[in-house]
Amino acid sequence: MRQEKIGEILIRKGLLTSEQLSDALARQKSIKNKKIGEILIDLGYIKEDDLFLSLSEQLSLPYLREIPTEISSELISKFPLSFLKTHRIFPLKREGKETAVVMADHTVPSIDELELILGTRIKRMLGKGSEISRVIERCYYRPQNPAKVEEDLKTSEAESASLATEFLPEGPGNLLDLATRTPIIRAVNQIIFQAIEKRATDIHIQSLENSLKVRYRIDGLLYDAFNFPRRFQPAIISRIKVISRLNIAERRLPQDGRTTIKFDDRELDIRISIMPTFFGENVVLRLLDKTTFLFGLESLGLSLQNFNIFSHLIGSDHGIILLTGPTGSGKTTTLYAALDRINSPTKNIITLEDPVEYQLEGINQIQTNPKIGLSFANGLRSILRHDPDIMMVGEIRDLETAEMAIQASLTGHLVFSTLHTNDSASAITRLLDMGIEPYLISSSLLTVMAQRLVRLICKDCQSSYSPSASEIEGLVEIGLKRGDLGNRRLLKGKGCKACLETGYRGRTGIFELLVINDEIKGLIMEKKPAHLINKSAINIIDSGMKTLRADGAEKVLKRITTVEEVLRVTQEE
């Protein structure tokens, strides 16, 4: 009996017309190595589910719409990652003398080849290629907990013994051999993928006297993740060097590199920095998710008053807008959000950064390189010859850069930049200390905004409570009046799986916006200290500046964060 063709099944089911099939067959003649089903999907005549349901009927094979992710690591380890991705197959489970394998194309690879690799008979199942790729990315070489990672590294006693003897490899050949061993690849993959799943922004790998510690920075704080035996240190760090194209033989000098990975249809940049220490090399990997990094200005956490003022100021045609705060306080995110808001085809925007973290569409971005003389100051000189309307300078670090930025603002350019100071008023005294004349600061500076990041209360485990006496004192300490609290209940997180038992999930900003008005300009001209400038800004009638702690107190009352969080990030203020 003749087997019914896939096109005939689709027509019989009413999923396809004869005209559509004829069109697809005609197109297939001009396309090499493409099956009729793929062409029908590309043309939009059928859905992928319709094709696989029809193939299931034609071949009498079960079709899995969703593929389970609880897979045997023993089965997965039998296949190279490239083999699974190329052939779009995935081993599911072994039952006696038979192993279930899901595949997008039942014709490749040969069943004999699969049976030889697995050592059992094959039970074929059908699955969508996109679904198989997703499961491969999520499951390949990814044990579920740290204990299994170390257990995986010790799968072979001979290999473990070999690693121990190669504790201090003699040359790059030995290092490369270590870095390309399957257990090491699996361990590094697990470190990275688990960090992504836990929303980590950084991975810290620290070489200690007797161990190799891995920690994740999540919502601004570091948490322990893995603790490997010391003998695996050369192999794991060499593997990281390989994927970031760094010199695996160089262990005496710092090195910087980067790589890109795909995870669940997201593309992530990983910026890698390696630094030699007394017990070996330390590594920090910064994870940059291109799909979730950019925030709109309205989603940063600015109060309505600060949002309206800041939105108005970034629309100015000239002047300097400064952001201040320590490393990791979200200054770059705010700058990018501001530039994205004012970006338009009628404006030429050029940035000078160290480093360029994300590419902004329609904006010319330059990365500084001091080794070849491309500093912030030298870059600014070149930028001015390219007729910019708006410029962003990553950081004002010295007098020359400050002078160039001020001159640019005075000649009709809007300049964004950052300074490392504790509050907004201190930015003015920092510029004065650098040697900038007061009249230049008062005539060019539009505003200074200080910011910090506070953790958000986890929505999955939040609960209301009446604040204790000590917490009320904490609210008073951050600027809240006792009468403002009344009988209001606050929120806190109990701790759950979603927030890693911390009670917090995600972060938002608290801000202190100092607008340079006539009164502040007068104080700058008189070179008044930061605390007097700060006091004057707070006492402005109707539009007085809210300090970082005051803005944090409002977010506590709005049940967004906690008193402890606000005190933690502003404890040096």
Side-chain angles (χ1 to χ4, degrees), residues 80 198 296 529:
K198 290 187 174 182

Side-chain angles (χ1 to χ4, degrees), residues 470-482:
S470 61
E471 285 176 309
I472 292 174
E473 290 302 319
L475 284 167
V476 172
E477 187 179 343
I478 61 177
L480 191 72
K481 295 179 181 178
R482 292 181 185 273

Side-chain angles (χ1 to χ4, degrees), residues 321-486:
I321 294 174
L322 285 179
L323 268 67
T324 74
T327 300
S329 59
K331 299 188 297 297
T332 300
T333 300
T334 303
L335 285 173
Y336 279 178
L339 292 178
D340 186 61
R341 187 175 183 86
I342 61 179
N343 186 20
S344 79
T346 61
K347 295 178 181 176
N348 181 22
I349 303 176
I350 303 177
T351 74
L352 194 61
E353 307 173 56
D354 181 25
V356 173
E357 294 199 355
Y358 284 92
Q359 288 76 48
L360 302 176
E361 187 175 352
I363 294 178
N364 306 294
Q365 295 173 267
I366 303 168
Q367 181 158 321
T368 61
N369 188 347
K371 292 180 181 178
I372 60 173
L374 182 56
S375 62
F376 282 120
N378 291 337
L380 270 172
R381 292 191 185 90
S382 299
I383 286 175
L384 288 169
R385 301 188 193 106
H386 283 255
D387 187 30
D389 298 294
I390 300 166
M391 296 184 291
M392 191 265 274
V393 183
E395 184 183 347
I396 293 177
R397 297 174 177 172
D398 50 46
L399 175 62
E400 188 178 11
T401 305
E403 288 177 336
M404 290 293 299
I406 287 172
Q407 290 302 322
S409 70
L410 293 174
T411 53
H413 304 88
L414 181 63
V415 181
F416 292 85
S417 193
T418 69
L419 275 175
H420 286 285
T421 60
N422 283 335
D423 58 20
S424 51
S426 297
I428 295 169
T429 54
R430 175 68 58 83
L431 292 174
L432 290 169
D433 291 343
M434 283 183 181
I436 302 297
E437 292 295 332
Y439 74 91
L440 290 175
I441 298 173
S442 62
S443 58
S444 62
L445 194 60
L446 296 175
T447 185
V448 184
M449 186 162 74
Q451 67 177 82
R452 300 290 189 276
L453 292 176
V454 293
R455 294 181 293 171
L456 298 170
I457 299 167
C458 176
K459 293 182 179 179
D460 291 344
C461 63
Q462 63 185 16
S463 63
S464 64
Y465 73 102
S466 296
S468 64
S470 61
E471 285 176 309
I472 292 174
E473 290 302 319
L475 284 167
V476 172
E477 187 179 343
I478 61 177
L480 191 72
K481 295 179 181 178
R482 292 181 185 273
D484 291 343
L485 185 59

Side-chain angles (χ1 to χ4, degrees), residues 16-34:
L16 187 71
T17 66
S18 299
E19 291 76 15
Q20 289 173 332
L21 178 60
S22 298
D23 180 31
L25 289 169
R27 291 173 184 259
Q28 189 182 33
K29 292 177 181 178
S30 60
I31 304 175
K32 292 182 178 179
N33 301 322
K34 196 152 192 178

Side-chain angles (χ1 to χ4, degrees), residues 483-495:
D484 291 343
L485 185 59
N487 295 321
R488 190 175 305 188
R489 292 174 67 84
L490 303 180
L491 282 184
K492 63 181 176 181
K494 294 180 179 178

